[in-house]
Amino acid sequence: MPGTGLVPARSGMAAAALWVGVLAVSTGAIFARLADAPALVIATGRLAIASLLILPLMGMRHRSAIRTLGRRHLLIAVVSGAFLALHFATWISSLSYTSIANSVLLVNTVPIWTALGGLVLGIDRLDRRGWLAVGLAVIGTVIVSAPSADLTGDGLLGNVLALVGGAAMAAYLLCGRALRARLDLVPYVMLAYGVAAVILLSVTLAAGLPLLGHGTATYLALVGMALIPQLIGHSTYNWSLKALPATAVSISLMGEAVFASLWGWLLFHESLPPATLGGGVLVLAGIVLAQTRLDRTRRAQDGGA
């Protein structure tokens, strides 16, 4: 029964693909640290390069799909891009004030905001098992980041920025859930990434920040961000939104905290105590619980079809 219900038959494939997306997105903090440029320049470069790389895929069929969108869906697309721009601007800025583990913890409060948004909007509501999965993942991410938590001074500013980035990401996913029902992946990400790139470019230029002269290493890091965490990672999330509820996708995103902490330990010598590993197990257990629930729902629907 493709195209009907919240969890169509290909949800198992989408759930598996999310693991690839989470691993890809977890490298974003590493590239952001390697890029020696202001946060807005990094965010602008990431989205602008990703949008330019998608352009060659925009054939006549995809352009026609965008032209047939009504005013309401075009507005949702603009709002989606605006939330994506806000997400990157605040999250990347947070990395200048707090650790990778702490930043990724707070930006990945996405499932909480998505679940609350679903309750308010009356869409993609979680059942008891889904709330349990969110609870496990949230507790796990708290344990992962607790050793590096800093709630004072600049650390507090970084925490607030990351938290805003998480709320913005949740809004972006909810918008994407609505649009992916009408659009294929390529035209949707072209709209979302393109709008976000234009907004970020406008803000960057208005702030008087230079886009040029940042060095080869920085531009290579921006290309890496566009290719791996954006085109592979975020596009995988967006692809999954056609098959899975936004809340289910957002639960899987919390695995980013685990992998990003490992990257921080390997590359930047950030602390990784045993408690962090234990928290990571809880996060992964929450993701598996959520995905198991989806697979059971899918099998039940297929059996009743």
Side-chain angles (χ1 to χ4, degrees):
M1 39 190 289
T4 63
L6 287 179
V7 189
R10 61 193 182 107
S11 63
M13 184 184 300
L18 278 176
W19 288 101
V20 176
V22 168
L23 186 59
V25 170
S26 71
T27 65
I30 306 305
F31 286 116
R33 281 283 182 91
L34 294 174
D36 185 15
L40 278 174
V41 173
I42 294 173
T44 300
R46 171 176 177 159
L47 271 300
I49 293 171
S51 299
L52 290 174
L53 291 173
I54 295 170
L55 271 178
L57 301 177
M58 287 294 295
M60 284 301 300
R61 180 170 66 90
H62 294 315
R63 289 198 292 270
S64 298
I66 292 177
R67 284 197 295 266
T68 59
L69 282 179
R71 196 173 289 179
R72 174 175 173 271
H73 286 93
L74 283 174
L75 178 60
I76 294 175
V78 172
V79 172
S80 176
F83 278 123
L84 183 61
L86 178 62
H87 163 72
F88 283 123
T90 52
W91 169 65
I92 293 176
S93 296
S94 76
L95 292 169
S96 300
Y97 302 102
T98 190
S99 69
I100 286 178
N102 208 39
S103 173
V104 172
L105 161 75
L106 292 170
V107 83
N108 277 299
T109 52
V110 180
I112 300 173
W113 303 116
T114 307
L116 292 175
L119 284 175
V120 172
L121 298 174
I123 58 173
D124 289 353
R125 292 182 176 180
L126 289 177
D127 58 13
R128 185 176 302 176
R129 190 180 183 125
W131 281 110
L132 176 60
V134 170
L136 282 175
V138 169
I139 292 171
T141 49
V142 169
I143 296 173
V144 165
S145 70
S148 59
D150 180 3
L151 300 178
T152 62
D154 285 347
L156 178 59
L157 175 59
N159 293 339
V160 171
L161 288 170
L163 197 60
V164 172
M169 183 65 177
Y172 165 67
L173 288 176
L174 289 170
C175 289
R177 177 68 174 155
L179 275 179
R180 285 288 285 123
R182 291 287 306 272
L183 283 175
D184 288 337
L185 177 64
V186 171
Y188 170 65
V189 297
M190 186 70 249
L191 277 173
Y193 299 174
V195 169
V198 170
I199 292 173
L200 288 169
L201 179 61
S202 300
V203 174
T204 300
L205 293 176
L209 297 174
L211 294 172
L212 303 176
H214 295 291
T216 303
T218 292
Y219 292 115
L220 288 176
L222 293 179
V223 171
M225 290 182 82
L227 287 173
I228 300 177
Q230 193 63 43
L231 289 182
I232 296 177
H234 273 262
S235 296
T236 300
Y237 295 167
N238 289 319
W239 177 78
S240 300
L241 283 171
K242 188 152 190 173
L244 304 177
T247 44
V249 175
S250 65
I251 292 171
S252 297
L253 304 193
M254 299 189 81
E256 180 187 351
V258 179
F259 294 117
S261 296
L262 291 174
W263 293 127
W265 173 65
L266 287 171
L267 300 178
F268 299 112
H269 308 293
E270 293 190 355
S271 62
L272 191 64
T276 301
L277 298 177
V281 171
L282 284 178
V283 173
L284 298 180
I287 295 173
V288 171
L289 178 62
Q291 293 187 350
T292 301
R293 174 61 180 166
L294 287 169
D295 285 342
R296 288 180 178 176
T297 302
R298 175 176 56 83
R299 287 197 295 268
Q301 288 180 343
D302 289 347

